Amino acid sequence: MAGKPDDRARVLAQANVSRETAAALDLYVEQLRRWQSVKNLVGPATLTEVWTRHIADALQLLDLAPDATTWLDLGSGAGIPGLILAIAGRDRPGFRVDLIESNARKCAFLTEVARLTKAPAHVRNVRIEDAIGSLSGVAVVCARALAPLDQLLAWTEPLLTTGTIGLFPKGRDAQTELTEAAQRWRFVYDLVPSRTESEARVVRVTTLSRVDS
């Protein structure tokens, strides 16, 4: 249930992480499998493809902002991508990820795995609306499988209008979400093909303003 060995080897080779970081990612997978039985953190079917569906999907974001050391993950859930990014970046000086999650049980998972893996992650059991104003200055904000792009831009407006980069993995409906968001927002973005799913994209937003501003 923890994933295929060849998937693990391929993902770790592509990510080029240290042996210690690889062991920490193994620990994340082990804990995800253990907690899944009582917390239902991810879709059960995805556990057999955890390295490609979750870990590789998260790690690809690092290459889209390679110099960033301060990250913010909204609606962290099972720590995808935020906790995985924190584990992968733990050897980088000054690297830190704030994890925003309103579900206390999921926060318990995030806190325990961050402790076990020594990941530089700060878990915040709080609603996005209540936290966003106090988190200015982060280099990157990300969110996966959380909300339509229009809503993500509304939440992150205080950040994206002041220099933060937004990285938002999306599925096959990415273009539709972009069209809908453009009714309310002006934004500069790149649409980056996902490494893990042919029809998926990562929307990288670099500037943002309101249409009526």
Side-chain angles (χ1 to χ4, degrees):
M1 288 290 289
K4 303 172 185 177
D6 54 334
D7 286 345
R8 175 189 180 276
R10 185 167 59 252
V11 170
L12 291 176
Q14 185 176 44
N16 192 30
V17 297
S18 68
R19 182 178 301 176
E20 292 77 14
T21 296
L25 289 169
D26 284 334
L27 186 54
Y28 168 83
V29 172
E30 175 188 318
Q31 291 298 310
L32 180 64
R33 182 161 54 96
R34 186 170 75 84
W35 285 66
Q36 173 70 12
S37 62
V38 293
K39 301 296 185 185
N40 194 31
L41 295 167
V42 297
T46 68
L47 281 181
T48 59
E49 301 173 317
V50 64
W51 284 95
T52 54
R53 288 289 297 274
H54 297 313
I55 294 179
D57 197 51
L59 292 180
Q60 68 178 323
L61 299 186
L62 286 174
D63 290 338
L64 300 183
D67 298 324
T69 56
T70 53
W71 292 66
L72 171 63
D73 183 35
L74 304 180
S76 294
I80 309 164
L83 183 54
I84 294 171
L85 294 171
I87 294 170
R90 63 189 200 143
D91 295 331
R92 302 184 182 188
F95 199 91
R96 173 191 171 99
V97 184
D98 283 284
L99 308 177
I100 305 299
E101 175 54 56
S102 62
N103 184 297
R105 292 183 300 172
K106 291 178 180 178
C107 284
F109 167 78
L110 295 170
T111 300
E112 176 64 3
V113 179
R115 183 187 69 82
L116 291 172
T117 60
K118 297 180 172 59
H122 182 201
V123 181
R124 295 172 179 257
N125 184 194
V126 65
R127 289 170 53 86
I128 294 169
E129 300 89 332
D130 297 332
I132 206 76
S134 65
L135 293 167
S136 61
V138 296
V140 180
V141 58
C142 57
R144 177 181 185 253
L146 178 63
L149 182 62
D150 179 69
Q151 179 61 69
L152 294 175
L153 295 178
W155 277 329
T156 59
E157 181 184 10
L159 304 176
L160 298 181
T161 55
T162 56
T164 299
I165 295 172
L167 295 178
F168 306 119
K170 291 292 177 184
R172 65 183 64 182
D173 294 328
Q175 192 59 60
T176 299
E177 291 193 32
L178 284 164
T179 300
E180 293 174 351
Q183 297 178 28
R184 183 156 59 133
W185 306 100
R186 292 189 183 93
F187 51 102
V188 176
Y189 70 91
D190 298 312
L191 205 55
V192 183
S194 170
R195 293 178 183 170
T196 60
E197 187 177 344
S198 61
E199 295 185 342
R201 300 290 183 269
V202 179
V203 182
R204 177 170 54 190
V205 179
T206 52
T207 66
L208 178 72
S209 63
R210 289 180 178 265
V211 166
D212 56 2
S213 62

